[in-house]
Amino acid sequence: MTNAVEQGRGLVLLGNEALWDQSGADLFIGGGSSSNGLAVGDFAEVIAANVNLGTGAHSMDNLLMVTNSGELAISGALNIGSVSNSGNVVEISRQGHISADTVNIVAGEGNGLELNSGGQLTVSNDFDASMAGFYFNGGSTLEIGGALSGFNGLLDNRKMLVLNGGYWDEGADLYVGSNTAGNALFVTNGAIAGSANTYIGFAEGADNN
């Protein structure tokens, strides 16, 4: 099977017997063309060394969607967009899961990663949550195995942060549910979370944190 989705095509992988194994190679979605898409769902799985979405010249409006318990396992990097490209988006939702060693978003108009309700992103290395184009939305889970930066707390409803051997210390106050409900912070596997002060369920309405 090819290691690219190109020329304005779409590929949908569904079902627990659907497997696209590119573990020894890079996967390209819109390497040199626009309006390509890959959807992974219903327990389907994609494995790749690196995944490149819209990284080629003039590659725009490409979509990678992992949803409904789909799995994308990347041993290396998830790379999104390039300087001259726009509209390249990764969406994770509804128990969809992407794991990668690193995530790189090149800031261009509309290039980004949307971690939506029910979705999980696992990054085994360092991660900057303040990078342009990254959206950590309510109801989703972010798991970090390295140093987490650019993140000032679980301030929106139903966010979960897992430090799995990772490190997070912004040198400021840490909030788990400042005035919102259902947030969670897990510090495990030798991870460290440091802060000046820690507030859990700080204000009115901050329940079940």
Side-chain angles (χ1 to χ4, degrees), residues 13-205:
L13 295 176
L14 298 175
N16 56 13
E17 295 185 0
L19 171 65
W20 186 8
D21 190 349
Q22 293 290 326
S23 53
D26 289 1
L27 173 60
F28 294 89
I29 305 166
S33 61
S34 298
S35 301
N36 303 280
L38 171 63
V40 184
D42 294 346
F43 301 98
E45 184 177 9
V46 175
I47 304 171
N50 299 285
V51 171
N52 304 286
L53 177 74
T55 56
H58 312 297
S59 183
M60 302 183 183
D61 301 322
N62 299 288
L63 175 64
L64 168 59
M65 180 184 297
V66 182
T67 188
N68 293 334
S69 300
E71 179 84 20
L72 173 57
I74 307 167
S75 60
L78 171 59
N79 300 307
I80 304 168
S82 69
V83 174
S84 59
N85 297 347
S86 63
N88 298 293
V89 176
V90 175
E91 295 180 1
I92 315 172
S93 64
R94 299 180 180 180
Q95 285 67 58
H97 181 213
I98 293 179
S99 60
D101 184 60
T102 58
V103 174
N104 305 301
I105 304 172
V106 177
E109 185 177 354
N111 292 332
L113 190 158
E114 299 178 5
L115 183 53
N116 295 324
S117 181
Q120 179 172 345
L121 173 65
T122 299
V123 182
S124 57
N125 213 316
D126 299 347
F127 184 74
D128 181 3
S130 67
M131 78 173 81
F134 176 66
Y135 301 96
F136 184 10
N137 296 316
S140 62
T141 300
L142 176 64
E143 180 178 349
I144 301 298
L148 174 64
S149 60
F151 186 67
N152 64 347
L154 296 154
L155 305 178
D156 295 331
N157 283 327
R158 300 178 301 109
K159 283 182 179 178
M160 182 183 295
L161 173 64
V162 180
L163 297 177
N164 187 0
Y167 177 81
W168 175 35
D169 188 353
E170 292 293 315
D173 292 346
L174 186 159
Y175 290 89
V176 181
S178 174
N179 56 2
T180 58
N183 303 279
L185 169 64
F186 292 89
V187 183
T188 184
N189 197 23
I192 297 173
S195 67
N197 300 284
T198 299
Y199 301 94
I200 301 175
F202 179 66
E204 183 178 356

